[in-house]
Amino acid sequence: KQWYQRRVREERMKDWSVRIGNKLGKKIVELTGDVVPDMKAVVSADVIVTTPEKWDGISRSWQNRKYVQKVRLLVIDEIHLLGNDRGPVLEVIVSRTNFISSHTEQQVRVVGLST
């Protein structure tokens, strides 16, 4: 299961680095338990690729993390896992994102993808 999640994340980083990074000139950063970039890279990133569990932990302290407050689009890949063991984490992330949005008065779009 963990190898699958890592593979999906690696595929996204590879694909998006070309499509979003190279072609659109956006800065993409991976933020996971396996990869911990310099915080300056995270703060200046246009796209952060992370796991639901990592984002759950990071977004809990949203008041102290400006880069969490700056999020305008949250894309959740493999949304069909909502009914599995990761479901509660995904639900919390979406609820917290809506909560942060209401407090910062900045609209955040949430998109779920499934293969």
Side-chain angles (χ1 to χ4, degrees):
K1 182 166 115 176
Q2 200 172 41
W3 65 267
Y4 174 75
Q5 294 167 1
R6 181 176 288 132
R7 195 182 94 221
V8 168
R9 192 176 64 242
E10 288 171 355
E11 285 177 14
R12 292 295 170 261
M13 280 299 297
K14 184 178 178 181
D15 183 43
W16 291 354
S17 291
V18 172
R19 291 178 182 226
I20 298 170
N22 296 346
K23 291 184 180 179
L24 297 178
K26 300 297 182 181
K27 189 172 178 186
I28 301 174
V29 172
E30 181 177 353
L31 180 58
T32 63
D34 299 332
V35 179
V36 182
D38 178 356
M39 283 312 295
K40 289 180 183 179
V42 174
V43 170
S44 65
D46 295 302
V47 177
I48 299 172
V49 177
T50 189
T51 62
E53 292 79 10
K54 187 74 171 181
W55 191 251
D56 178 34
I58 289 169
S59 64
R60 286 175 192 235
S61 299
W62 66 271
Q63 300 94 332
N64 303 321
R65 295 184 168 122
K66 295 289 184 196
Y67 65 94
V68 174
Q69 297 174 30
K70 289 175 29 179
V71 169
R72 296 296 168 259
L73 173 65
L74 175 65
V75 178
I76 302 172
D77 197 9
E78 307 292 325
I79 195 70
H80 59 272
L81 297 176
L82 192 61
N84 293 351
D85 57 339
R86 294 178 102 186
V89 175
L90 296 175
E91 288 182 33
V92 165
I93 290 170
V94 172
S95 294
R96 187 177 300 122
T97 298
N98 289 333
F99 179 81
I100 294 168
S101 175
S102 71
H103 279 75
T104 60
E105 297 182 357
Q106 297 292 327
Q107 188 175 14
V108 179
R109 184 173 298 221
V110 178
V111 177
L113 305 176
S114 183
T115 52

